[in-house]
Structures are given as structure tokens and as C-alpha cells.
Amino acid sequence: MAKTLIIPGLFGSGAGHWQRHWLDDQPRAALVEQDDWDHPVLERWREALEQAILRHGVVDVVAHSLGCILVASLARRPLARQIRSALLVAPCDLDVTERLHPGSIEFGAMPEQPLPFPSLIVGSLNDPYMSFDRLRHISTRWGSRLVDLGHAGHINVASGFGRWSRGYDLLTVLNGIARREQPQANAAQVGEKRESRAAAGR
């Protein structure tokens, strides 16, 4: 059974946050720790995430805010193949986050490459960290399914999200999608290998 990695964003997910409840409620969940929650640097945060994936093998990831951007930064890296599915809750826009917290983050440009694993974005109509139009654009670029929670703010403690049992259900649905898509991906890989062998024999 795959481990579920819980990936908070800027400042971590404090007491009462739904990610903390997830760690308490789900025995297969583990927190991806960062040395500095207040001043995220992409390379350091990504190294911590990749080390966690190496420890646990095939994983599901459940990310919030800047943690979603961290997951998306793995799109072209080898360890992305070990992510079975990604539940991405309230991803933040880097430009907006830098304006709201000047000098706090070093994350470079917003990643827009397609994600090579099944993903589900959970968003809000009034998230101060990303407009819904921008969220739709990002979900299209990442190739993610999108769930709209309505006026749910940043989907954190401040907007009333403590224990969030619907999140467990969404990950279960996402895992079902991943199981259906895996045989198709395997078949595509076999086809690519056959084409390569045929081309080599010409």
C-alpha cells in the first residue's frame, strides 16, 4: 500500500490545519519536513521531497498551497514516476504569494509543464493566493482535473477547514483513476518500444 506524503506550503500547516488532522487520522500518512518553513527555497524543499519519495517508494502526495507548486516542479524529474497520484489543494500563484509575503520565497517561475501522474486540483472561487481564472489555466497546463469548492478561501484553518474528511474521499477517487489509467500508460510504453525497435531495424 502506497505511503501518503503530506506536503504543506509556506509557514507549514499549523495546529488545527486539515493536513495535521490527516496525519492523525490516516496511518499511512507521513509529513515531508522542511528545515525552514518561513523562507522556502525551491532546491532545498525539492531535495527534502525527493528524499522522502526515495525512502517510501511509490507514493500518493497531498499538497497545500506552495506545496502544490513544489510537487509540480517534479514534472520532468526522474522521481516523478514514483508518484501514483497527487491531490493538490489551493495551489498558490507565485507572483501573488511574493507580493503578499515579500522576500519570503525563492521558487523561481510558476511551473506549467504537464504532470506525468494523475492529479486533482481542489480550488476556491475566492482564494486570495490565486484567482479562479488563473487556477483554471494552471489546471489545464498541468493536465489536472479541477474540483471547485465554491467560496472556500485558501482552504485552510482561517477559512474553516480543520478536519476535512472529504479530502480522504477525493484521494480515494483519484487512486481509482490512477488504477484505470495505469494499464493505458503501460500499453503506450509497450507501443513506443515496439516502434523504436521497428525503426532501428529499418
Side-chain angles (χ1 to χ4, degrees):
M1 189 174 184
K3 198 79 169 179
T4 301
L5 298 183
I6 303 299
I7 306 171
L10 178 64
F11 307 132
S13 294
H17 194 285
W18 60 265
Q19 286 190 312
R20 293 290 171 177
H21 287 294
W22 197 306
L23 289 164
D24 292 337
D25 294 346
Q26 303 295 322
R28 295 291 300 170
L31 179 68
V32 176
E33 290 279 7
Q34 299 292 348
D35 290 336
D36 189 346
W37 289 109
D38 295 344
H39 299 94
V41 176
L42 176 59
E43 291 77 12
R44 295 174 190 164
W45 274 38
R46 189 163 56 201
E47 181 180 1
L49 174 54
E50 290 184 328
Q51 287 299 318
I53 294 172
L54 283 171
R55 281 196 304 274
H56 296 297
V58 176
V59 297
D60 297 314
V61 297
V62 177
H64 180 254
S65 193
L66 191 64
C68 302
I69 311 308
L70 177 62
V71 172
S73 78
L74 293 180
R76 293 182 177 174
R77 296 174 73 86
L79 283 176
R81 68 173 63 96
Q82 292 183 211
I83 297 176
R84 181 173 66 170
S85 62
L87 182 63
L88 308 172
V89 183
C92 64
D93 187 303
L94 289 179
D95 289 342
V96 174
T97 305
E98 287 167 358
R99 286 200 301 271
L100 293 173
H101 305 282
S104 292
I105 64 173
E106 296 179 33
F107 253 61
M110 193 78 179
E112 295 200 8
Q113 298 88 1
L115 304 183
F117 39 78
S119 58
L120 180 66
I121 290 177
V122 182
S124 163
L125 294 173
N126 62 334
D127 188 340
Y129 285 87
M130 186 182 288
S131 71
F132 198 72
D133 285 345
R134 177 71 166 147
L135 186 67
R136 276 196 297 246
H137 169 78
I138 289 298
S139 67
T140 299
R141 298 291 295 175
W142 289 357
S144 304
R145 294 165 175 83
L146 177 60
V147 172
D148 169 14
L149 293 189
H151 291 79
H154 196 44
I155 314 179
N156 56 6
V157 174
S159 54
F161 285 81
R163 179 170 275 106
W164 181 46
S165 57
R166 187 182 177 190
Y168 312 149
D169 297 333
L170 289 173
L171 183 59
T172 298
V173 169
L174 185 55
N175 285 338
I177 293 169
R179 283 192 295 271
R180 289 197 301 272
E181 290 184 353
Q182 188 59 46
Q184 298 173 11
N186 290 341
Q189 289 172 2
V190 169
E192 289 172 2
K193 289 176 182 177
R194 285 174 178 166
E195 289 176 6
S196 296
R197 286 197 297 267
R202 290 191 190 115

